[in-house]
Amino acid sequence: MKIDVVISADYIMSDKLKDKTVVVIDMLRATSVIVTAFINGCKDVIAVTSIEEAKAIGESMDNDVILGGERNALKIEGFNCSNSPLEYTKDLIKDKTVIMTTSNGTRAIKGSTNASDILIGAMINAKAVAKELIKLNRDVIIVNAGTAGQFSMDDFICGGYITDCLCDTLGEDKVELSDIAYTALYLYRNNKDINEFLKSAKHYKRMIELGYNDDLVYCTKKDITDIVPRYNKDRIVI
Amino acid sequence: MKIDVVISADYIMSDKLKDKTVVVIDMLRATSVIVTAFINGCKDVIAVTSIEEAKAIGESMDNDVILGGERNALKIEGFNCSNSPLEYTKDLIKDKTVIMTTSNGTRAIKGSTNASDILIGAMINAKAVAKELIKLNRDVIIVNAGTAGQFSMDDFICGGYITDCLCDTLGEDKVELSDIAYTALYLYRNNKDINEFLKSAKHYKRMIELGYNDDLVYCTKKDITDIVPRYNKDRIVI
């Protein structure tokens, strides 16, 4: 199994995704939100790129809809939830459709539709993602959402952890890493407590400035669920 | 001073280079060749993207011309030199124009012409490059040539070493690193003997398979010269 990494939504080359399984990672915080929404029983998630589109879809549907997301890491006016996974509680979202728009994560998902499958990955479901990748048994491209189109250390090390899980289960000799996948793995293996490493990351620092410490504690936990959402016909489902 | 890194020639976004100093790195081996050619007294280097262009320019000029470069890491038929820096001896190239075409390095240089200055960097002149960057006093984009359009660990860690030299001289508080520049720096600082780290790199392994061990020993040496070639009006000069 070959593993490669795309460093941000701006660098997706659609042709290269053909016949591959893609894992989209935006661990701080869009993909952590999506996984959490499913943990708490949402029906499905619709990821859209613009605020207007989110509102329009919301208005066209019945009442069982939650609007969520962010711009500049802040809540969007008129939306039910921000981009904090802790807001997506069972009480609020059980059996509902979540319509999400975020700066980087939803763009990475929409940019990956040329792949055979698109899985939603984060630290909180990394091991389960690795298991699913093994089941699908295709070459893997980890698509990091990044931050503002740029490489983001948080997504990169999360991809390193998923790669580590793949190597552990399959054996190193069954996994062919590109140089960038090897580099992500190296970083994870040398920083298994990822919080220490992430203290130097721009996006992580911004989260701390905004007082999102509880989100950071939550999003950097490993493997709290076996749920692996996947993108299928314009919706994310499990 | 802000420092950012582009992971390969395929990912250069020309608009972002405006008003910046670019350092092009293809340490295995094109930029090591160029630096070495100047150490041994060449007059200038013309970097072109195609074999045909190299031959045509060679034929249009007088006799003091050396054709050099590679395709798939091998010598090009009819050329004087391959892409091994050890072939560019004083006897052969003193006062001559070297016309070079390589798979990645020359493409990275040609793709960077929107920058204010383009410096040619490698391990063998890294400290001198850092000094020159400080003199120019603009934000810096390290453009890695990469291998076949992809991220290459060798160029990445070389950029980490140049970043380390900048941090040492200016002080960490005077340098603003993007997440990817920080990651390159982290890798270098944890692998100051870069050969050990590079044993896992695809391009390094290919060099070993081809028997280019002497080139690897040479290209991974640090700071054997103060020469910093720069691209200026279609030629590389010092």
Side-chain angles (χ1 to χ4, degrees):
Chain A
M1 180 183 284
K2 289 183 187 174
I3 305 176
D4 199 7
V5 176
V6 173
I7 62 167
S8 93
D10 274 11
Y11 294 99
I12 297 170
M13 293 181 182
S14 190
D15 289 353
K16 294 194 177 173
L17 307 185
K18 205 172 169 303
D19 302 325
K20 306 284 200 307
T21 308
V22 158
V23 182
V24 171
I25 298 175
D26 186 4
M27 67 164 279
L28 299 180
R29 299 166 288 165
T31 56
S32 298
V33 165
I34 295 169
V35 173
T36 303
F38 283 104
I39 293 173
N40 289 329
C42 79
K43 196 174 114 200
D44 49 17
V45 174
I46 302 178
V48 299
T49 41
S50 78
I51 295 170
E52 296 65 36
E53 202 183 348
K55 286 182 174 168
I57 296 176
E59 279 162 19
S60 74
M61 292 175 70
D62 57 20
N63 282 334
D64 293 336
V65 162
I66 293 291
L67 293 182
E70 55 73 38
R71 283 300 179 271
N72 297 314
L74 302 172
K75 190 171 173 175
I76 298 163
E77 214 186 298
F79 274 40
N80 304 94
C81 296
S82 78
N83 201 30
S84 166
L86 305 177
E87 292 178 17
Y88 294 73
T89 58
K90 200 167 279 184
D91 282 354
L92 188 69
I93 64 153
K94 189 155 170 49
D95 298 325
K96 294 197 177 150
T97 291
V98 177
I99 303 174
M100 278 201 73
T101 180
T102 66
S103 308
N104 309 292
T106 48
R107 211 153 52 85
I109 294 168
K110 300 295 242 184
S112 298
T113 50
N114 210 26
S116 293
D117 285 278
I118 303 174
L119 310 182
I120 305 299
M123 292 302 288
I124 59 172
N125 72 340
K127 247 185 206 153
V129 167
K131 264 189 207 163
E132 192 59 32
L133 291 172
I134 291 167
K135 214 185 288 173
L136 291 167
N137 196 27
R138 274 191 237 94
D139 291 337
V140 172
I141 300 195
I142 296 171
V143 173
N144 293 333
T147 303
Q150 295 306 299
F151 175 101
S152 203
M153 284 159 58
D154 39 288
D155 294 335
F156 194 60
I157 201 163
C158 180
Y161 178 45
I162 292 173
T163 305
D164 186 56
C165 296
L166 284 170
C167 290
D168 274 0
T169 310
L170 290 173
E172 308 255 336
D173 57 322
K174 295 282 188 297
V175 173
E176 188 184 331
L177 304 178
S178 69
D179 270 22
I180 194 159
Y182 176 86
T183 301
L185 175 66
Y186 175 91
L187 279 180
Y188 171 71
R189 286 188 172 165
N190 285 274
N191 297 280
K192 291 192 177 181
D193 170 9
I194 68 166
N195 281 287
E196 201 47 42
F197 180 70
L198 291 182
K199 280 180 186 159
S200 301
K202 277 188 189 293
H203 188 50
Y204 189 94
K205 286 184 202 165
R206 168 123 172 100
M207 298 279 112
I208 290 188
E209 279 166 18
L210 291 167
Y212 295 166
N213 301 56
D214 292 347
D215 280 6
L216 292 177
V217 169
Y218 177 81
C219 293
T220 56
K221 281 184 186 163
K222 295 176 190 171
D223 308 311
I224 65 170
T225 180
D226 283 334
I227 287 175
V228 182
R230 75 176 63 204
Y231 183 83
N232 185 31
K233 292 177 190 156
D234 292 332
R235 290 187 184 229
I236 300 165
V237 293
I238 52 170
Chain B
M1 180 185 283
K2 289 184 187 174
I3 305 175
D4 198 8
V5 176
V6 172
I7 61 167
S8 92
D10 274 11
Y11 294 98
I12 297 169
M13 294 182 180
S14 189
D15 289 352
K16 294 194 176 172
L17 307 185
K18 206 173 166 306
D19 302 324
K20 308 284 201 304
T21 307
V22 158
V23 182
V24 171
I25 298 175
D26 187 2
M27 65 164 280
L28 299 178
R29 298 167 292 166
T31 56
S32 297
V33 165
I34 294 169
V35 173
T36 304
F38 283 103
I39 292 174
N40 288 329
C42 80
K43 195 174 115 201
D44 49 18
V45 174
I46 302 178
V48 300
T49 43
S50 78
I51 295 171
E52 295 65 35
E53 202 183 346
K55 286 182 174 168
I57 296 177
E59 281 162 17
S60 73
M61 291 175 70
D62 57 22
N63 282 334
D64 293 336
V65 162
I66 293 290
L67 293 182
E70 55 72 38
R71 283 300 180 270
N72 298 314
L74 301 172
K75 189 169 173 175
I76 298 162
E77 215 185 298
F79 274 40
N80 305 93
C81 296
S82 79
N83 200 30
S84 166
L86 306 178
E87 293 178 16
Y88 294 72
T89 58
K90 198 166 281 184
D91 281 355
L92 188 68
I93 63 152
K94 191 155 170 45
D95 298 326
K96 293 194 178 153
T97 290
V98 176
I99 302 174
M100 280 201 72
T101 179
T102 66
S103 308
N104 309 292
T106 47
R107 211 154 51 86
I109 294 167
K110 300 295 244 186
S112 298
T113 49
N114 210 25
S116 293
D117 285 276
I118 304 174
L119 310 183
I120 304 299
M123 292 302 287
I124 59 172
N125 73 339
K127 247 185 207 155
V129 167
K131 263 189 211 166
E132 191 59 30
L133 290 171
I134 291 167
K135 216 185 287 174
L136 291 167
N137 197 27
R138 275 191 236 95
D139 291 338
V140 172
I141 301 195
I142 295 170
V143 173
N144 294 332
T147 302
Q150 296 306 299
F151 175 100
S152 203
M153 284 159 58
D154 40 288
D155 294 335
F156 195 59
I157 201 163
C158 180
Y161 177 45
I162 292 173
T163 304
D164 185 56
C165 295
L166 284 169
C167 290
D168 273 0
T169 310
L170 289 173
E172 309 255 336
D173 58 322
K174 294 284 186 297
V175 172
E176 188 184 331
L177 304 178
S178 69
D179 270 22
I180 194 158
Y182 177 85
T183 301
L185 176 65
Y186 175 92
L187 279 180
Y188 171 71
R189 286 188 172 166
N190 285 274
N191 297 279
K192 291 192 177 181
D193 170 8
I194 68 167
N195 281 285
E196 201 46 44
F197 180 69
L198 291 184
K199 281 180 186 159
S200 301
K202 279 190 188 292
H203 187 51
Y204 190 93
K205 286 185 200 162
R206 168 123 172 98
M207 298 279 112
I208 290 189
E209 279 166 19
L210 291 169
Y212 295 166
N213 302 56
D214 292 347
D215 280 6
L216 293 176
V217 169
Y218 177 80
C219 293
T220 56
K221 281 183 186 162
K222 295 176 190 171
D223 308 310
I224 65 170
T225 179
D226 284 335
I227 287 176
V228 181
R230 75 177 62 204
Y231 183 84
N232 184 32
K233 291 179 189 154
D234 292 333
R235 294 190 179 223
I236 300 164
V237 292
I238 51 172

